[in-house]
Amino acid sequence: MEAADIGALHTKKLSLWFLITVILVLLLLGTVILALCIGPVGISVGEIVNILFGGEASWSHRTIILEIRLPRVLLGGLVGASLAIAGAGMQGLFRNPMASPYVLGISSGAAFGASLSIVLGFSIVSGLFAVPVMAFIFSFITLVLVYNIAKVNGRVPVDTLLLAGIAIAAFFTALVSFMKYLAGEQLSSIVFWMMGGLWDARWEFFVFVLPMVAIGVVLILVFSRDLNVLMIGEEHAVNLGINVPLARNVILVASSLVTAAAVSVSGVIAFVGLIVPHMMRLFVGPDNRILLPASCLVGAIFMIWTDTLARTIIAPEELPVGIITAILGAPFFLYLLKRRKGVTGW
Amino acid sequence: MRLVIQGVCFSYGGSDVLADVTFEASDGEIIGVIGPNGSGKTTLLKCINRALSPRIGTVLIDGRDYSELTRREIAGNIGVVPQNSVVSFPFTVLDIVMMGRTPSMERFERESEKDLEIVKKAMEVTNVVELADRTMDQISGGEKQRVVIARALAQKPKILLLDEPTLHLDVNHQLEILDLIRKLARSEKLTVIIVSHDLNLASRYCEKLILMNAGKIAASGEVTEVLTEKNIESVFKVRAAVSYDRHLGAYTVTPIECCR
């Protein structure tokens, strides 16, 4: 390679990133449209476009799309995008391939909050938001607990954070087991909530989640370059002038925020947050400036398709989407993992 | 650029790891910091780029107290090649060197033509241009060290700090790295501070040496003043023969036995 090629190499990388982003955005749009077509009542693409953009369509189809399928597809997209970007953020932050959005115990805390509401009927709000709000609040209680336990002399070492997360998760999981023991008739509600699903999707939830996800995703993306340097090592980051505590806290809190938002309306959906970032790392490499947006988009696409399957495969019943994400995702990921050659690390 | 370290003390909570360390360095000068394990060498480097803040004492960069500077401004003046430069992610060599531009870029700024020029030049002098599109896991230890040096140079520093830059390298690559550092000190007018365990390489490549012992400077100055049999015995607890090698034009240290 010649020195002159350095510029060309750089330009090539940027155009590739641009191309990847455009393709994924188009795929996402296509996914949304197709997922809207699929269901007990088949509705054509043309009719979908008419309904979305104010053209001719039957009243019943319009209701099915706008009141049932659209909120579900959009909420699914948000949940998938949130879990995937939070997973990528946590993996980079902890420099650990096992990290997922749930690594700090957020999902266990949320499950406890949800079960308080389901079993004891205890919630600070009533009605529609009783469960989501409790799940969300306990997610944040978990984060604050874990963070403060891990804090030593004003510093928060990531390894301690990880261990504190595991311990707190175990604690809340035990409390959830206790709630299950007490649950009686409500047992199936807790169990289904913890498998994760989007059957309760509705516009109100979408509106509740959207601002939090938007803020969280933007914050994570803003700090993507800092995360690159943090992945090389804390010492390197300091030497390159990064404000390490700030960058770390922003990524931690933003990832937790989007995770808590997703979990509060969909339960504990397994696997997406762990695997989608790894899949994307195999395709686009480790640079967070492309990895984070790509994970976000693919997380949304993956979630919408698996949820479409979940609601149609045994119709009129539906499966918890968490089952499908793992059954389909795990073999596909293992296939990718075996296929790559000559690359060490992760 | 003139670097003045004045009365620097540092502790990790208990007793002082550095006590009253004072010395100066100027342009184009290579200073070697030597001493036994745990004598405070790495801590000293970290205090110089403020990765650690001294408990007492000041560091002046061209007369300016660096506690007035932001992290980014310090990173724009001081490039560091840390001891542990293992990169476990498949970033390309170009990505890694480009990270050296981080301190001079605003958060939303893209790499400009000027940044690319600086990166290109840093890669040329360290001879890593042909590795540009390889990933860090595909290159050798010596190449990795050159890449991390290229990244430090991409910061456009006036001061370069290196912590054991030749650790884990074979003799050929040890000389290659140190020749490169000497060349850079002269051509870029860099002030270079190297922490090393290799007394012979330190004696060959450094103009001045600082011998650390238990957080204090035990001796400093010209190589001949510092690398004496007496100093080595009192600091390293090793009896050694110091002799002048006329092939090298430098003093060599041959350790003989531990002192009881």
Side-chain angles (χ1 to χ4, degrees), chain A residues 144-173:
Chain A
V144 172
L145 267 178
V146 169
Y147 189 88
N148 283 297
I149 289 170
K151 199 163 171 176
V152 192
N153 297 329
R155 292 183 66 236
V156 184
V158 285
D159 297 342
T160 319
L161 202 56
L162 205 61
L163 290 172
I166 290 171
I168 292 288
F171 177 75
F172 276 122
T173 305

CSV table of all heavy atoms in Angstrom, one decimal, chain A residues 144-173:
chain,number,residue,atom,x,y,z
A,144,VAL,N,-29.4,2.3,39.8
A,144,VAL,CA,-28.9,3.2,40.8
A,144,VAL,C,-28.2,2.3,41.9
A,144,VAL,O,-27.1,2.6,42.3
A,144,VAL,CB,-30.0,4.1,41.4
A,144,VAL,CG1,-29.5,4.8,42.6
A,144,VAL,CG2,-30.5,5.1,40.4
A,145,LEU,N,-28.9,1.2,42.3
A,145,LEU,CA,-28.3,0.3,43.3
A,145,LEU,C,-26.9,-0.2,42.8
A,145,LEU,O,-25.9,-0.1,43.5
A,145,LEU,CB,-29.2,-0.9,43.5
A,145,LEU,CG,-30.3,-0.8,44.6
A,145,LEU,CD1,-31.1,-2.1,44.6
A,145,LEU,CD2,-29.5,-0.7,45.9
A,146,VAL,N,-26.9,-0.8,41.6
A,146,VAL,CA,-25.7,-1.5,41.1
A,146,VAL,C,-24.6,-0.4,41.0
A,146,VAL,O,-23.5,-0.7,41.4
A,146,VAL,CB,-26.0,-2.1,39.7
A,146,VAL,CG1,-24.7,-2.5,39.0
A,146,VAL,CG2,-27.0,-3.3,39.9
A,147,TYR,N,-24.9,0.7,40.5
A,147,TYR,CA,-23.9,1.7,40.2
A,147,TYR,C,-23.3,2.2,41.6
A,147,TYR,O,-22.0,2.3,41.7
A,147,TYR,CB,-24.5,3.0,39.5
A,147,TYR,CG,-23.5,4.0,39.1
A,147,TYR,CD1,-22.9,3.9,37.8
A,147,TYR,CD2,-23.1,5.0,39.9
A,147,TYR,CE1,-21.9,4.8,37.4
A,147,TYR,CE2,-22.2,6.0,39.5
A,147,TYR,CZ,-21.6,5.8,38.3
A,147,TYR,OH,-20.7,6.7,37.8
A,148,ASN,N,-24.1,2.4,42.6
A,148,ASN,CA,-23.6,2.9,43.8
A,148,ASN,C,-22.9,1.8,44.6
A,148,ASN,O,-21.9,2.1,45.4
A,148,ASN,CB,-24.7,3.5,44.7
A,148,ASN,CG,-25.0,4.9,44.1
A,148,ASN,OD1,-24.2,5.8,44.2
A,148,ASN,ND2,-26.2,5.1,43.6
A,149,ILE,N,-23.3,0.5,44.5
A,149,ILE,CA,-22.6,-0.5,45.1
A,149,ILE,C,-21.2,-0.7,44.5
A,149,ILE,O,-20.2,-0.9,45.2
A,149,ILE,CB,-23.4,-1.9,45.0
A,149,ILE,CG1,-24.6,-1.8,45.9
A,149,ILE,CG2,-22.5,-3.1,45.4
A,149,ILE,CD1,-25.6,-2.9,45.6
A,150,ALA,N,-21.1,-0.5,43.2
A,150,ALA,CA,-19.8,-0.7,42.5
A,150,ALA,C,-18.9,0.5,42.7
A,150,ALA,O,-17.7,0.4,42.4
A,150,ALA,CB,-20.1,-0.9,41.0
A,151,LYS,N,-19.4,1.6,43.2
A,151,LYS,CA,-18.5,2.8,43.3
A,151,LYS,C,-17.5,2.6,44.5
A,151,LYS,O,-17.9,2.3,45.6
A,151,LYS,CB,-19.5,3.9,43.6
A,151,LYS,CG,-18.9,5.3,43.4
A,151,LYS,CD,-20.1,6.2,43.3
A,151,LYS,CE,-19.8,7.7,43.3
A,151,LYS,NZ,-21.1,8.4,43.1
A,152,VAL,N,-16.2,2.8,44.1
A,152,VAL,CA,-15.2,2.8,45.1
A,152,VAL,C,-14.4,4.1,45.0
A,152,VAL,O,-13.8,4.4,44.0
A,152,VAL,CB,-14.2,1.6,44.9
A,152,VAL,CG1,-13.3,1.4,46.1
A,152,VAL,CG2,-15.0,0.3,44.6
A,153,ASN,N,-14.3,4.8,46.1
A,153,ASN,CA,-13.6,6.1,46.1
A,153,ASN,C,-13.9,7.0,44.9
A,153,ASN,O,-13.0,7.5,44.2
A,153,ASN,CB,-12.1,5.8,46.0
A,153,ASN,CG,-11.6,5.1,47.3
A,153,ASN,OD1,-12.2,5.3,48.3
A,153,ASN,ND2,-10.6,4.3,47.1
A,154,GLY,N,-15.2,7.1,44.6
A,154,GLY,CA,-15.6,7.9,43.5
A,154,GLY,C,-15.4,7.4,42.1
A,154,GLY,O,-15.7,8.0,41.1
A,155,ARG,N,-14.8,6.2,42.0
A,155,ARG,CA,-14.6,5.6,40.7
A,155,ARG,C,-15.5,4.3,40.6
A,155,ARG,O,-15.8,3.7,41.6
A,155,ARG,CB,-13.1,5.1,40.5
A,155,ARG,CG,-12.2,6.3,40.4
A,155,ARG,CD,-10.7,5.9,40.1
A,155,ARG,NE,-10.6,5.3,38.8
A,155,ARG,CZ,-10.1,4.0,38.6
A,155,ARG,NH1,-9.8,3.3,39.6
A,155,ARG,NH2,-10.0,3.5,37.4
A,156,VAL,N,-15.8,4.0,39.4
A,156,VAL,CA,-16.7,2.9,39.2
A,156,VAL,C,-16.0,1.9,38.2
A,156,VAL,O,-16.1,2.0,37.0
A,156,VAL,CB,-18.1,3.3,38.6
A,156,VAL,CG1,-19.0,2.1,38.5
A,156,VAL,CG2,-18.7,4.3,39.5
A,157,PRO,N,-15.2,1.0,38.8
A,157,PRO,CA,-14.5,0.0,37.9
A,157,PRO,C,-15.5,-0.9,37.2
A,157,PRO,O,-16.4,-1.4,37.8
A,157,PRO,CB,-13.6,-0.8,38.9
A,157,PRO,CG,-13.7,-0.1,40.2
A,157,PRO,CD,-15.0,0.7,40.2
A,158,VAL,N,-15.3,-1.1,35.9
A,158,VAL,CA,-16.3,-1.9,35.1
A,158,VAL,C,-16.5,-3.3,35.6
A,158,VAL,O,-17.6,-3.8,35.6
A,158,VAL,CB,-16.1,-1.8,33.6
A,158,VAL,CG1,-16.4,-0.5,33.0
A,158,VAL,CG2,-14.7,-2.3,33.2
A,159,ASP,N,-15.4,-3.9,36.0
A,159,ASP,CA,-15.5,-5.3,36.5
A,159,ASP,C,-16.4,-5.4,37.7
A,159,ASP,O,-17.2,-6.3,37.8
A,159,ASP,CB,-14.1,-5.9,36.8
A,159,ASP,CG,-13.2,-5.9,35.6
A,159,ASP,OD1,-13.8,-5.8,34.5
A,159,ASP,OD2,-12.0,-6.0,35.7
A,160,THR,N,-16.2,-4.4,38.6
A,160,THR,CA,-17.0,-4.4,39.8
A,160,THR,C,-18.5,-4.2,39.5
A,160,THR,O,-19.4,-4.8,40.0
A,160,THR,CB,-16.6,-3.3,40.8
A,160,THR,OG1,-15.2,-3.3,40.8
A,160,THR,CG2,-17.1,-3.6,42.2
A,161,LEU,N,-18.7,-3.3,38.5
A,161,LEU,CA,-20.0,-3.0,38.0
A,161,LEU,C,-20.7,-4.3,37.5
A,161,LEU,O,-21.9,-4.6,37.8
A,161,LEU,CB,-19.9,-2.0,36.9
A,161,LEU,CG,-21.1,-1.1,36.6
A,161,LEU,CD1,-21.6,-0.4,37.8
A,161,LEU,CD2,-20.8,-0.2,35.5
A,162,LEU,N,-19.9,-5.1,36.7
A,162,LEU,CA,-20.4,-6.3,36.2
A,162,LEU,C,-20.8,-7.3,37.3
A,162,LEU,O,-21.9,-7.9,37.3
A,162,LEU,CB,-19.3,-6.9,35.3
A,162,LEU,CG,-19.7,-7.9,34.2
A,162,LEU,CD1,-20.5,-7.2,33.2
A,162,LEU,CD2,-18.4,-8.3,33.5
A,163,LEU,N,-20.0,-7.4,38.3
A,163,LEU,CA,-20.2,-8.4,39.4
A,163,LEU,C,-21.4,-7.9,40.2
A,163,LEU,O,-22.3,-8.7,40.6
A,163,LEU,CB,-19.0,-8.5,40.2
A,163,LEU,CG,-17.8,-9.3,39.6
A,163,LEU,CD1,-16.6,-9.3,40.4
A,163,LEU,CD2,-18.3,-10.7,39.3
A,164,ALA,N,-21.4,-6.6,40.5
A,164,ALA,CA,-22.6,-6.1,41.3
A,164,ALA,C,-23.9,-6.3,40.5
A,164,ALA,O,-24.9,-6.7,41.1
A,164,ALA,CB,-22.4,-4.6,41.5
A,165,GLY,N,-23.8,-6.2,39.2
A,165,GLY,CA,-25.0,-6.4,38.4
A,165,GLY,C,-25.5,-7.8,38.5
A,165,GLY,O,-26.7,-8.1,38.6
A,166,ILE,N,-24.5,-8.8,38.4
A,166,ILE,CA,-24.9,-10.2,38.5
A,166,ILE,C,-25.5,-10.5,39.9
A,166,ILE,O,-26.6,-11.2,40.0
A,166,ILE,CB,-23.7,-11.1,38.3
A,166,ILE,CG1,-23.2,-11.0,36.8
A,166,ILE,CG2,-24.0,-12.5,38.7
A,166,ILE,CD1,-21.9,-11.6,36.5
A,167,ALA,N,-24.9,-9.9,41.0
A,167,ALA,CA,-25.5,-10.2,42.3
A,167,ALA,C,-26.9,-9.6,42.5
A,167,ALA,O,-27.8,-10.2,43.0
A,167,ALA,CB,-24.5,-9.6,43.3
A,168,ILE,N,-27.0,-8.3,42.0
A,168,ILE,CA,-28.4,-7.7,42.2
A,168,ILE,C,-29.4,-8.4,41.3
A,168,ILE,O,-30.6,-8.6,41.8
A,168,ILE,CB,-28.3,-6.2,41.8
A,168,ILE,CG1,-27.4,-5.4,42.8
A,168,ILE,CG2,-29.7,-5.6,41.7
A,168,ILE,CD1,-28.1,-5.2,44.1
A,169,ALA,N,-29.0,-8.9,40.2
A,169,ALA,CA,-29.9,-9.7,39.3
A,169,ALA,C,-30.4,-10.9,40.0
A,169,ALA,O,-31.5,-11.3,40.0
A,169,ALA,CB,-29.2,-10.0,38.0
A,170,ALA,N,-29.4,-11.6,40.7
A,170,ALA,CA,-29.8,-12.8,41.4
A,170,ALA,C,-30.8,-12.5,42.5
A,170,ALA,O,-31.7,-13.3,42.7
A,170,ALA,CB,-28.5,-13.5,42.0
A,171,PHE,N,-30.5,-11.4,43.2
A,171,PHE,CA,-31.4,-11.0,44.3
A,171,PHE,C,-32.8,-10.8,43.8
A,171,PHE,O,-33.8,-11.3,44.3
A,171,PHE,CB,-30.8,-9.8,44.9
A,171,PHE,CG,-31.6,-9.2,46.0
A,171,PHE,CD1,-31.7,-9.8,47.3
A,171,PHE,CD2,-32.4,-8.0,45.8
A,171,PHE,CE1,-32.5,-9.3,48.3
A,171,PHE,CE2,-33.2,-7.5,46.9
A,171,PHE,CZ,-33.2,-8.2,48.1
A,172,PHE,N,-32.9,-10.0,42.7
A,172,PHE,CA,-34.3,-9.7,42.2
A,172,PHE,C,-34.9,-10.9,41.6
A,172,PHE,O,-36.2,-11.1,41.7
A,172,PHE,CB,-34.2,-8.6,41.2
A,172,PHE,CG,-34.3,-7.2,41.8
A,172,PHE,CD1,-33.2,-6.3,41.6
A,172,PHE,CD2,-35.3,-6.8,42.6
A,172,PHE,CE1,-33.3,-5.0,42.2
A,172,PHE,CE2,-35.3,-5.6,43.2
A,172,PHE,CZ,-34.3,-4.7,43.0
A,173,THR,N,-34.1,-11.8,41.0
A,173,THR,CA,-34.7,-13.0,40.4
A,173,THR,C,-35.3,-13.9,41.6
A,173,THR,O,-36.4,-14.5,41.4
A,173,THR,CB,-33.6,-13.8,39.7
A,173,THR,OG1,-33.0,-12.9,38.7
A,173,THR,CG2,-34.2,-15.0,39.0
